[in-house]
Amino acid sequence: MLDVTVRYRVKSSGDTTMSWERRSLSSGIACLWLDTPSDRPDPHHWTVLERTTAIIPVTHRSVVRHIELRGHSQSPTHGGGSNRPAGLIRLSYASLRKPYNREYNVTLLHEFGHHVDWRYDVVRYVRGQGANGRALLNTGHSGDTPGPGERIADCYMIYLLQVIAGCRYNHRADPAAYRSAAARMRFDLLLQSRAFAGFAGFRDWQSST
């Protein structure tokens, strides 16, 4: 798919009209960003976004309407955020420039994990899986937002990084949780949920760590 860039003007929640540009990635996922020189993503950012969205399962890509690459003066000021009713992900200006997002944008994968959880009710499924489910939902998490959904979003992100992309990822909040048998247990729970039903081959892949 060729990149298509479209410029248009939209109103924010504060009724301030802003000029945005829209670009469709090769994955089919759309990105919007502010049309100001200080806020434009650079070529490396686009390369990372292309690489990152390429490892998201095709069936999951439609759970997000678009990704907003926020300006330096917009919220969130760090990390990312998701709007469930609107089906969008917001990536902060700072997050695009963090060292941990230079190879794959892990913030984007985590936020995608939230939308997949919401669409397929993954937390509810995992809660019914006994001791293994409790272990997953009590995995250490270092983000600002608490709750079981954060653990599902982390698991989704790490599964795509370690298994699909073949990268080593150190989950600093709970390093042992995503190594060897502990990682496979968590990934198996994710893969047994409705989110991965009918995905040929996914259930056979193992952790690369």
Side-chain angles (χ1 to χ4, degrees):
M1 179 183 295
L2 296 176
D3 292 335
V4 177
T5 302
V6 179
R7 182 175 299 175
Y8 60 103
R9 298 175 72 82
V10 297
K11 285 188 176 182
S12 70
S13 57
D15 292 328
T16 301
T17 302
M18 296 179 293
S19 182
W20 294 79
E21 291 191 0
R22 181 181 186 277
R23 176 172 177 168
S24 293
L25 303 176
S26 298
S27 61
I29 297 169
C31 292
L32 286 85
W33 73 97
L34 280 176
D35 182 28
T36 57
S38 61
D39 294 319
R40 290 180 189 137
D42 66 30
H44 176 74
H45 298 146
W46 289 118
T47 297
V48 173
L49 290 169
E50 289 281 8
R51 182 185 302 131
T52 302
T53 57
I55 66 173
I56 295 170
V58 173
T59 305
H60 293 167
R61 296 174 189 177
S62 63
V63 303
V64 169
R65 183 181 175 190
H66 64 254
I67 301 163
E68 287 185 2
L69 309 179
R70 307 292 280 176
H72 65 277
S73 62
Q74 293 182 303
S75 64
T77 57
H78 66 280
S82 286
N83 184 313
R84 182 177 184 177
L88 64 86
I89 289 172
R90 294 187 175 100
L91 296 180
S92 68
Y93 176 90
S95 75
L96 288 181
R97 293 153 179 85
K98 289 292 186 181
Y100 54 75
N101 282 331
R102 286 194 60 81
E103 186 69 20
Y104 287 90
N105 193 303
V106 300
T107 304
L108 174 58
L109 293 177
H110 175 90
E111 294 303 325
F112 242 95
H114 282 303
H115 287 269
V116 170
D117 172 31
W118 294 331
R119 172 70 62 88
Y120 298 101
D121 211 0
V122 180
V123 165
R124 178 179 291 184
Y125 168 77
V126 172
R127 276 180 170 150
Q129 301 308 303
N132 285 350
R134 290 191 295 273
L136 171 51
L137 297 181
N138 287 304
T139 305
H141 172 72
S142 59
D144 295 335
T145 308
E150 297 299 327
R151 279 68 179 180
I152 298 301
D154 282 345
C155 186
Y156 184 84
M157 169 191 75
I158 297 168
Y159 174 75
L160 294 183
L161 288 170
Q162 290 192 171
V163 182
I164 307 306
C167 296
R168 290 189 176 274
Y169 179 81
N170 180 30
H171 187 54
R172 291 179 294 175
D174 195 345
Y178 285 100
R179 293 176 183 162
S180 304
R184 288 193 291 272
M185 179 274 287
R186 287 168 170 79
F187 295 153
D188 282 345
L189 284 174
L190 180 68
L191 296 177
Q192 290 160 12
S193 73
R194 288 194 305 118
F196 284 87
F199 279 41
F202 273 64
R203 296 182 189 274
D204 298 326
W205 290 336
Q206 299 295 314
S207 170
S208 61
T209 62

